[in-house]
Amino acid sequence: MTDPTITDLRRELEKARDALTDAAIHLARHAEMNASLHCATNVMYSPLHAKVTAAVRGIDHALDRTEPENLPTLDGRSSDGVWAALAADLDRCHHGRHIGDDCGSCGGVSQGNPLMVVGDAIGYDRHGHYIVLPDRDHKHDPAAWRTTPRT
Ligand SMILES: [Zn+2]
């Protein structure tokens, strides 16, 4: 599943690319007509033609980067990447709510993951430094995962 905003933006970019491609063809034919009219041996394309073709290339690049299969997602929820989305889920209670969110099954507010408490060490990196479950406000900050655990 792709973010609907990206889908909308891609559709608008495709429309702009089609219009600019037609404009580039028009400008090229105009330059070629002028060259023919003046019996010139070289066609002098206008700076506007160069700008339009550069814009088309930029749009193509943006469309390539936002191809749905090129976007890292975990069921379409995160633009941070699959692993960031997975890590961000570690604070959910077993009812699926993030810690601090409303959860009727937890008694009003989600108590979070009972298997991992915020601030606890949950592992080590390859240098033996702690990996710590950060609080919800910092769970998208990789540095927050590499701090000293609470005592
Ligand atoms: Zn819950």
Side-chain angles (χ1 to χ4, degrees), residues 92-98 101-112:
R92 291 181 186 271
C93 66
H94 62 282
H95 312 111
R97 307 291 181 269
H98 288 291
D101 286 350
D102 291 336
C103 180
S105 299
C106 281
V109 175
S110 170
Q111 300 301 304

Side-chain angles (χ1 to χ4, degrees), residues 18 42 45 59 94 104-105 116-117 129 146 150:
D18 289 346
N42 295 327
Y45 294 99
I59 289 172
H94 62 282
S105 299
M116 294 181 186
V117 177
H129 300 132
R146 298 183 183 278
R150 67 187 173 111

Side-chain angles (χ1 to χ4, degrees), residues 72-94:
T73 62
L74 184 64
D75 62 29
R77 292 175 299 161
S78 174
S79 60
D80 293 339
V82 174
W83 298 109
L86 180 68
D89 280 347
L90 289 175
D91 73 341
R92 291 181 186 271
C93 66
H94 62 282

Side-chain angles (χ1 to χ4, degrees), residues 12-108:
E12 294 305 317
L13 279 176
E14 288 168 358
K15 288 181 195 173
R17 180 183 59 189
D18 289 346
L20 288 171
T21 299
D22 289 346
I25 291 169
H26 171 79
L27 291 169
R29 297 297 177 266
H30 188 80
E32 291 160 2
M33 177 201 66
N34 272 339
S36 178
L37 183 66
H38 297 288
C39 299
T41 55
N42 295 327
V43 178
M44 301 296 288
Y45 294 99
S46 68
L48 180 59
H49 179 263
K51 286 181 182 178
V52 169
T53 54
V56 170
R57 278 197 309 274
I59 289 172
D60 285 340
H61 180 67
L63 289 171
D64 287 345
R65 290 183 54 214
T66 56
E67 278 285 338
E69 62 268 15
N70 294 339
L71 293 174
T73 62
L74 184 64
D75 62 29
R77 292 175 299 161
S78 174
S79 60
D80 293 339
V82 174
W83 298 109
L86 180 68
D89 280 347
L90 289 175
D91 73 341
R92 291 181 186 271
C93 66
H94 62 282
H95 312 111
R97 307 291 181 269
H98 288 291
I99 189 169
D101 286 350
D102 291 336
C103 180
S105 299
C106 281

